[in-house]
Structures are given as C-alpha cells and as structure tokens.
C-alpha cells in the first residue's frame, strides 16, 4: 500500500503569512493527489485535485504543486478562516490519507 | 445540489456488526464517472479510507480491514451500505461517505469531491 507522509504535523502562523505544507508518497503517484481542509466537527472539504487543480469555489490563495512523490500545498496569504487541519490524499492506487497538518494561530 | 447523508446506530457493542447507510441525492449511483467511498476518523486522529464502490458495482477495500468490510449499493434507492463485522472499541469513530468523481479523458482516477456530514459510532459494552 502507498503511504503518505505530511510535514510538519503542526504549523503556527499569523494572518497574512505564506504557508507551505509538504506531502510525500512512498512511491510515485504521478499527479493523483488531492488536498482537503477540515475544521473541528466538520467534514473535510476538497481544495485541490490532480496535484494542482483548484476546486471550484476555493479561493485562489490556495495552490498545489508537485508530481511523482513530493507535493506541496501553499496558502499565499493566510486568512482567519484558514486555521484548520489539512490532509493530502493519494488516489493513484486505492486511496490513502496523510496524517494531517494542523495550522494554528501563532 | 449534491448531498450525501450517513445513517446508522450511534452505539454498538463489541463483537457486533455495524451497518451504515449513505443516502445520496443530486447524482445517480449508475453514473459511470462517479462512485462512493466510506472513510472514518477516530477522535483526534487522521482520516482512514475504508471502502469504495464504482458505478459498475466493482468494489475496493482497505487492505487492513478487508476481511471485516462489505460495501454494496441499491441504485434505485440511491443508497450505499457498509457493513463492518466484529466491532471493537478501537473502531469508535466518525464515519463519512463521500462521492468520488473521475475525469472525462483516460486514465481514470477517482477523487472525493463531496462529503456527507458524518455519523459518530461508539463501540462500548
């Protein structure tokens, strides 16, 4: 099975900061990677699919990049609504989630 | 508007079988570009994918839980059912169903675009 590893596990940042989260796959997954945002008590929300495609309705401050085994999610200017936990997910071979990255207020 | 709603027992006893139902609206379970997955999340922990069913009734299961899971669908009722046998307290979690979609052009890979709100299941005697 493909394993997904995110870093960091927790990230402290301020409003307006540029934030980058990394996700690594245990083997190549081409560009079959999605990013989700989850707030406490809520279901995950799709942000990015196919590594860099922005889901409709998602603010353009979110962007994704990478291919093969290394991927990043970038928030260009952190907003108050962005404090949440972010998960990467591979869908190249079945489905696997990373362990999550919590973005908290500095 | 696409929606998914999970339903099932709030509390199950150890060794019992859990049956969860996902009722969908706004799309058809016979749509070739779509499928449905079940995912769970123990309290304070990460998401874990469990099972997936495609429009052609093909199924896929988590390697670690395959022996305990069965997924099925009733297209006429717009429902997807997940059963998990031999429940244990470590299976306490919020269980989500989610729609998966694929692109129009091959190769076909499915990602989850719309999620239900989840249903919380506690395993305790």
């Amino acid at each position: 099975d493909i394993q997904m590893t995110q870093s960091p596990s927790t990230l402290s940042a301020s409003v307006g900061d540029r934030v980058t989260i990394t996700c690594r796959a245990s083997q190549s997954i081409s560009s079959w990677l999605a990013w989700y945002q989850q707030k406490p008590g809520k279901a995950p929300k799709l942000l990015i699919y196919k590594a860099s495609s922005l889901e409709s309705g998602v603010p353009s401050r979110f962007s994704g990049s990478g291919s093969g085994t290394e991927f990043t999610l970038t928030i260009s200017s952190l907003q108050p609504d962005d404090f949440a936990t972010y998960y990467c997910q591979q869908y190249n071979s079945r489905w696997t989630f990373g362990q999550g990255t919590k973005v908290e207020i500095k | 508007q696409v929606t998914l709603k999970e339903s099932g027992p709030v509390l199950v006893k150890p060794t019992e079988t859990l049956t969860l139902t996902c009722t969908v609206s706004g799309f058809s379970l016979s749509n070739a570009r779509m499928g449905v997955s079940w995912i769970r999340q123990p309290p304070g922990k990460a998401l874990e994918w469990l099972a997936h069913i495609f429009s052609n009734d093909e199924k896929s299961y988590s390697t670690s839980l395959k022996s305990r899971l069965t997924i099925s669908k009733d297209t006429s009722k717009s429902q997807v059912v997940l059963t998990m046998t031999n429940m244990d307290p470590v299976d306490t979690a919020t269980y989500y169903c989610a729609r998966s979609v694929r692109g129009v052009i091959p190769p076909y890979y499915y990602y989850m675009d719309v999620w239900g709100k989840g249903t919380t299941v506690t395993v305790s005697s």
Side-chain angles (χ1 to χ4, degrees):
Chain A
D1 289 358
I2 298 174
Q3 308 301 317
M4 305 301 293
T5 304
Q6 287 182 234
S7 60
S9 296
T10 306
L11 188 161
S12 297
S14 302
V15 172
D17 284 353
R18 181 181 181 88
V19 166
T20 299
I21 299 169
T22 298
C23 179
R24 289 186 173 85
S26 59
Q27 65 188 74
S28 177
I29 58 171
S30 185
S31 296
W32 307 116
L33 184 104
W35 289 97
Y36 299 87
Q37 177 193 67
Q38 187 180 35
K39 296 181 179 179
K42 300 294 186 182
K45 172 189 173 184
L46 176 67
L47 300 175
I48 302 281
Y49 62 95
K50 208 176 178 183
S52 60
S53 295
L54 193 67
E55 174 70 349
S56 176
V58 174
S60 59
R61 62 181 180 272
F62 291 93
S63 64
S65 64
S67 66
T69 62
E70 189 151 339
F71 302 86
T72 59
L73 173 71
T74 299
I75 309 172
S76 60
S77 177
L78 198 65
Q79 298 302 301
D81 191 48
D82 301 338
F83 291 97
T85 299
Y86 294 84
Y87 292 94
C88 63
Q89 178 209 46
Q90 69 82 19
Y91 54 100
N92 177 79
S93 174
R94 290 189 279 199
W95 294 266
T96 316
F97 292 91
Q99 82 277 18
T101 295
K102 183 178 181 179
V103 177
E104 59 182 26
I105 301 172
K106 190 172 184 179
Chain B
Q1 182 189 4
V2 173
T3 64
L4 302 94
K5 186 173 184 178
E6 305 88 349
S7 58
V10 174
L11 180 67
V12 298
K13 291 182 169 55
T15 75
E16 288 186 340
T17 293
L18 171 69
T19 299
L20 295 173
T21 300
C22 176
T23 303
V24 311
S25 64
F27 72 100
S28 172
L29 296 175
S30 62
N31 187 317
R33 291 186 56 216
M34 298 172 186
V36 172
S37 263
W38 283 95
I39 305 99
R40 71 178 179 179
Q41 186 173 38
K45 295 189 177 181
L47 300 163
E48 178 184 21
W49 172 75
L50 301 176
H52 185 93
I53 190 163
F54 296 88
S55 59
N56 63 359
D57 215 37
E58 181 181 344
K59 296 140 184 161
S60 182
Y61 295 100
S62 161
T63 301
S64 61
L65 293 168
K66 181 171 183 166
S67 64
R68 299 173 53 204
L69 297 173
T70 302
I71 191 170
S72 62
K73 65 183 175 80
D74 185 329
T75 301
S76 65
K77 292 184 178 179
S78 295
Q79 291 181 333
V80 175
V81 175
L82 181 76
T83 62
M84 180 180 291
T85 61
N86 194 25
M87 293 293 284
D88 183 271
V90 300
D91 297 313
T92 294
T94 297
Y95 288 75
Y96 296 99
C97 61
R99 184 180 77 166
S100 64
V101 294
R102 64 162 173 83
V104 177
I105 301 170
Y108 297 141
Y109 291 88
Y110 291 73
Y111 61 92
M112 296 149 200
D113 68 336
V114 183
W115 294 59
K117 293 183 178 181
T119 186
T120 299
V121 178
T122 300
V123 185
S124 175
S125 55

